[in-house]
Amino acid sequence: MLANSLPSPALALYRGSSIHLSSPNFASLNSTLYGTSWSFLPQELIRNSRNNVLTHKRWELYSAAPTIDITLSNEDTEKWASCREALSVFNFSIEEQDKMLGKAFGHIHSPYWGEERKVEVPNYELVNEILEYLRSLSLSDDDLSKLLKKFPEVLGCNLETELKNNVQILENQWGITGKPLRNLLLRNPKALGYNVDCKGDCIAQCTRCWARF
């Protein structure tokens, strides 16, 4: 009778190192798989539940892993997956999301950075802060989708010293605000990442130079 009331192993949901069985008869059961005695359960169910947990964890890590050819630790893979989540609102494919993050954080070569971009693991909080700041400039999600396709490296730019500083330059020195600013950023989003001004005396950092503006 006990076996008939137990849930199928397929209903065992992984939560960290715990198993939660979704049957009403065991709604309060929350025991660690390897720490608590499971002698009152059929051995087959125990084995199947353990296999389901390990398979699910492997699936989580596999599905979160970047589609580009890089090696990440489990922790960094989870960070990468969270940044994908931040981009999911724009309906990019997983491959597109990975290429954007790869170019923004130095995992894929981008001429924009030259040789200066240090390889980093994307950070969800920083990526989200950049997206929220861009939204504050009256850019819709559709606008951001277009901007990110043109200039994915924006996600790896410094929010304070580059994005915000450059918007202030455009507003204060060039008088570009509101809708004209939105139109400019859609046309030339790389202006958000300019960080040098050679003033005509080239210093070989052309992709990030105000001389291109």
Side-chain angles (χ1 to χ4, degrees):
M1 296 298 292
L2 176 61
N4 291 334
S5 67
L6 288 170
S8 161
L11 296 180
L13 306 179
Y14 179 66
R15 294 290 185 274
S17 61
S18 299
I19 285 291
H20 295 249
L21 298 176
S22 55
S23 166
N25 294 331
F26 293 93
S28 62
L29 181 62
N30 179 12
S31 301
T32 57
L33 186 59
Y34 301 107
T36 300
S37 173
W38 288 68
S39 58
F40 67 93
L41 295 178
Q43 290 301 308
E44 182 179 358
L45 176 59
I46 296 173
R47 286 193 299 271
N48 289 340
S49 297
R50 181 183 293 115
N51 289 338
N52 283 343
V53 169
L54 297 176
T55 299
H56 184 75
K57 188 167 183 64
R58 284 194 296 267
W59 179 86
E60 282 184 329
L61 291 173
Y62 176 79
S63 63
T67 58
I68 58 179
D69 187 19
I70 61 175
T71 301
L72 298 175
S73 67
N74 290 350
E75 180 182 356
D76 288 344
T77 297
E78 291 174 0
K79 291 179 180 179
W80 190 286
S82 69
C83 290
R84 273 187 189 164
E85 184 65 24
L87 297 177
S88 63
V89 67
F90 305 112
N91 296 320
F92 298 132
S93 69
I94 290 177
E95 289 77 9
E96 287 175 318
Q97 293 170 18
D98 285 348
K99 286 181 180 178
M100 289 176 180
L101 293 171
K103 286 185 176 181
F105 293 93
H107 297 275
I108 296 177
H109 175 70
S110 169
Y112 178 76
W113 301 116
E115 301 299 326
E116 69 181 75
R117 188 64 171 95
K118 182 177 71 173
V119 176
E120 296 179 318
V121 176
N123 179 288
Y124 172 81
E125 287 74 20
L126 294 180
V127 168
N128 201 50
E129 284 179 9
I130 286 174
L131 293 175
E132 288 303 312
Y133 175 67
L134 294 175
R135 288 187 177 104
S136 76
L137 301 177
S138 300
L139 292 166
S140 67
D141 282 355
D142 185 56
D143 292 335
L144 286 178
S145 177
K146 296 173 183 176
L147 187 150
L148 290 169
K149 284 183 178 180
K150 266 189 172 184
F151 184 46
E153 293 87 350
V154 69
L155 298 173
C157 290
N158 186 284
L159 177 59
E160 299 295 332
T161 62
E162 293 174 347
L163 272 66
K164 290 185 177 181
N165 183 62
N166 289 358
V167 168
Q168 289 181 355
I169 290 174
L170 292 170
E171 291 177 341
N172 299 332
Q173 297 185 21
W174 294 82
I176 304 173
T177 60
K179 189 174 181 180
L181 176 62
R182 169 189 170 272
N183 293 339
L184 167 67
L185 296 180
L186 289 175
R187 184 175 68 253
N188 183 20
K190 290 183 179 181
L192 288 165
Y194 291 160
N195 62 2
V196 296
D197 188 354
C198 72
K199 301 184 183 301
D201 186 11
C202 185
I203 57 175
Q205 296 184 37
C206 301
T207 57
R208 309 199 68 186
C209 185
W210 279 101
R212 297 173 63 90
F213 184 63

